[in-house]
Amino acid sequence: MAVRGVISYWWLPIFPACVWLGMLLGMLLWWFVTVDMDRSRLPSLDRNMYLPYISDIGAFTLKPLFIAGSVVTTVTFDLSFAAERWLRHKGRLVPNQTLLEKVLVILTILFAVVGTVGLICLSIFDTYRHPQLHDIFLLLFIGGYLISAIFICWEYQRLGIQHREHRVLRASFWVKLIFIFLEIGLAVAFGVLTFTDRKNIAAYFEWIISLIFTFYVLSFVIDLWPARRTKHRAMRFPKPRSPREMEESEASLPGRAHGANTNGHF
């Protein structure tokens, strides 16, 4: 019973964050310990680069690790999006009130799936054997999750206005907004450095972008944390009323049903 009290939905984003960070650190360790002195193991590596791209390491000996880490990270991370939507629908979290908010949720999940497909495919179509496909899927990965973050920020901004008493919504909004600006700035710098053939510096930016993604995944702990208090039905949020229910409720108010007779006879 004690274990049941500890395990909750907020654990969902912790697992993919640990998998992603562990994969990155494992690849870095493999580079420094094994390959740094024997660069022939990475045929795609530029001779002037002190640090390889992640995709250089993931194109050869550690390709199985790169594929497995990418698949596990993104698929389990997407469960956090699905859980957040389900918990709002069930009243375990602050529910979505308007049609726009529900559309924003759908777009958030949709573009997260695009990012998922991008990362899985770029790990399979490596930069050494499929350079053009790899670059396309890299754009899908970065663009998919960035656009997804924009939509979820928009959703949280609207929820935060309607529910100012729940400061966790505001905290999550600002964390994700900082992520968006950081990643856009770093992604632009990475692209410029890569296409101007300053790959040695660009590689450092790629690693920084990937490490920051870990903290974005962890930010969903903030979103799912309040659900631990709403396990019992009595503690859950009431479901938002439909427009029809609101009209019926207003019509049943005293003075509304007989409004024609309140100001005199006609």
Side-chain angles (χ1 to χ4, degrees):
M1 294 296 292
V3 174
R4 288 183 62 186
V6 173
I7 296 176
S8 187
Y9 287 95
W10 63 269
W11 282 91
L12 278 174
I14 293 179
F15 178 71
C18 291
V19 170
W20 180 251
L21 183 61
M23 182 195 74
L24 292 177
L25 294 179
M27 294 172 85
L28 265 180
L29 183 63
W30 182 79
W31 159 253
F32 287 121
V33 173
T34 307
V35 187
D36 193 22
M37 302 302 293
D38 183 14
R39 292 173 169 246
S40 62
R41 291 194 177 194
L42 296 182
S44 63
L45 183 64
D46 192 301
R47 293 182 180 180
N48 298 321
M49 293 178 68
Y50 296 108
L51 182 69
Y53 288 124
I54 297 170
S55 50
D56 287 327
I57 298 177
F60 301 100
T61 305
L62 293 191
K63 185 170 183 176
L65 173 65
F66 191 29
I67 294 175
S70 299
V71 171
V72 172
T73 297
T74 52
V75 171
T76 54
F77 180 35
D78 287 350
L79 292 177
S80 299
F81 289 93
E84 192 258 0
R85 176 69 191 104
W86 185 82
L87 290 170
R88 293 200 189 284
H89 176 69
K90 290 295 183 179
R92 296 284 304 275
L93 295 173
V94 176
N96 298 111
Q97 301 287 337
T98 65
L99 178 60
L100 176 59
E101 289 172 8
K102 294 177 182 178
V103 170
L104 291 173
V105 172
I106 294 172
L107 292 173
T108 296
I109 297 174
L110 177 63
F111 279 97
V113 172
V114 171
T116 296
V117 172
L119 181 57
I120 293 174
C121 288
L122 75 85
S123 66
I124 296 171
F125 297 97
D126 60 74
T127 187
Y128 183 67
R129 300 170 186 84
H130 312 279
Q132 293 182 339
L133 280 175
H134 182 85
D135 290 343
I136 291 171
F137 290 127
L138 177 61
L139 287 174
L140 283 180
F141 166 52
I142 296 175
Y145 277 112
L146 272 177
I147 296 173
S148 175
I150 290 171
F151 283 125
I152 200 169
C153 263
W154 190 355
E155 177 201 356
Y156 279 26
Q157 186 262 347
R158 292 183 60 84
L159 284 172
I161 291 174
Q162 297 172 23
H163 303 277
R164 295 183 184 276
E165 69 277 15
H166 298 290
R167 287 181 287 183
V168 68
L169 293 168
R170 196 158 55 249
S172 182
F173 166 78
W174 284 111
V175 168
K176 289 176 175 58
L177 189 65
I178 291 170
F179 165 80
I180 291 170
F181 282 115
L182 272 177
E183 291 290 71
I184 289 177
L186 291 169
V188 170
F190 169 72
V192 171
L193 289 167
T194 300
F195 287 108
T196 55
D197 207 27
R198 287 182 282 183
K199 297 180 180 179
N200 191 40
I201 303 176
Y204 287 94
F205 276 84
E206 184 187 50
W207 283 94
I208 293 171
I209 290 169
S210 300
L211 289 170
I212 290 176
F213 182 69
T214 306
F215 295 100
Y216 174 64
V217 176
L218 285 173
S219 74
F220 282 79
V221 172
I222 302 173
D223 306 332
L224 300 173
W225 181 261
R228 78 194 194 284
R229 297 178 178 174
T230 55
K231 291 182 180 180
H232 300 291
R233 290 187 177 275
M235 300 296 293
R236 297 182 184 182
F237 295 95
K239 290 186 177 181
R241 294 182 298 175
S242 66
R244 182 177 179 179
E245 289 174 334
M246 293 178 68
E247 289 178 2
E248 291 176 352
S249 177
E250 289 179 0
S252 64
L253 292 174
R256 286 296 183 95
H258 305 285
N261 297 323
T262 56
N263 294 323
H265 301 282
F266 290 92

